[in-house]
Amino acid sequence: MVQKLFDQNIIGYVYAGLCGLGLLIRFILDMVFRKIVKQSDNLGTTKNKALRLIRMKFETCYKLKIGVNNVDIFVDKSISKYRFGGLLLSTWEGISGQVLLMILLIIPVSSVFGVLYEVGREKVLFTGAVGIFAGALLILVDRLINLGLKKQYIRLNILDYLVNYCRARLEQEEANPDMLEQYRREYFMALNADRQAT
């Protein structure tokens, strides 16, 4: 059985499949994060429902004097709830990390079984090299994509808008107390939209 796995390069195909899956997930995440960065840069006019909800919740909390004492935490919590394909973005990142971990775990296990069942030094070394190459490729692509930097840009864009633009506009509007009832309706609409989104 083990000899067959090495003779037919099945383990190499497993490495290639896992590497392809990991690359696909990383490229999808890169695409999603780029889109969010672009949309968060224009938070006042964005069409993104999640970003609009963040803006609306902040505005209504401020208008109702509920208060957003720590805008950093408000933004971090809001970003952590962002979903793509029904899963949180942090879950997607976790899956891509698990794929890399699987590759790095299969390398020593296949090598040990290859040596125990005496499948041949060249086959064991070749299979291990394919696994190391697949893992190195995933790590390289992960470093090139740099999702951490994109997350930081998203956070900074949202913070900049809420603190520097939105809050200043809301303070000007605060002088008009007749708007309070409209703000309450907006707040409860935002809460209902948030509950339906989760």
Side-chain angles (χ1 to χ4, degrees):
M1 174 73 173
V2 174
Q3 183 75 40
K4 186 178 179 182
L5 291 176
F6 280 91
D7 287 344
Q8 296 179 357
N9 289 327
I10 294 174
I11 298 173
Y13 293 131
V14 169
Y15 289 140
L18 287 172
C19 183
L21 177 64
L23 290 173
L24 178 67
I25 292 172
R26 280 169 173 78
F27 287 130
I28 288 172
L29 281 172
D30 181 51
M31 178 188 68
V32 169
F33 275 105
R34 282 178 189 233
K35 185 176 178 183
I36 298 170
V37 167
K38 186 176 179 182
Q39 292 172 343
S40 68
D41 200 27
N42 299 313
L43 195 60
T45 59
T46 185
K47 303 264 190 259
N48 186 301
K49 285 173 66 175
L51 293 175
R52 280 189 322 197
L53 186 62
I54 292 171
R55 185 187 71 220
M56 187 186 270
K57 283 174 89 174
F58 180 83
E59 289 175 355
T60 52
C61 286
Y62 194 87
K63 291 171 185 176
L64 293 175
K65 303 210 186 302
I66 294 172
V68 179
N69 295 327
N70 193 331
V71 181
D72 289 331
I73 292 175
F74 176 83
V75 170
D76 290 342
K77 185 177 177 186
S78 300
I79 292 172
S80 69
K81 293 180 181 179
Y82 198 94
R83 294 178 179 271
F84 174 73
L87 295 174
L88 295 172
L89 288 180
S90 59
T91 304
W92 282 104
E93 289 181 73
I95 292 170
S96 69
Q98 294 300 320
V99 169
L100 176 61
L101 187 64
M102 288 282 291
I103 289 173
L104 297 178
L105 182 65
I106 293 173
I107 294 170
V109 170
S110 66
S111 298
V112 167
F113 278 102
V115 170
L116 284 176
Y117 287 93
E118 299 176 357
V119 296
R121 180 178 169 193
E122 291 176 7
K123 290 178 185 176
V124 171
L125 288 175
F126 176 75
T127 304
V130 170
I132 291 170
F133 177 75
L137 183 62
L138 284 178
I139 292 170
L140 176 68
V141 168
D142 190 44
R143 295 297 170 242
L144 289 174
I145 289 175
N146 199 357
L147 294 178
L149 184 63
K150 289 179 179 71
K151 284 193 272 189
Q152 187 177 0
Y153 283 148
I154 294 166
R155 184 177 183 280
L156 289 174
N157 285 340
I158 295 172
L159 273 172
D160 177 49
Y161 178 80
L162 294 180
V163 173
N164 294 328
Y165 299 103
C166 190
R167 185 180 280 171
R169 181 180 50 84
L170 292 171
E171 287 171 355
Q172 289 175 350
E173 291 176 359
E174 197 173 60
N176 187 356
D178 297 332
M179 301 286 289
L180 187 61
E181 188 58 38
Q182 179 184 346
Y183 297 151
R184 284 190 181 168
R185 284 194 302 271
E186 289 177 9
Y187 176 72
F188 290 117
M189 286 174 47
L191 282 178
N192 288 336
D194 186 40
R195 287 183 187 139
Q196 291 174 357
T198 56

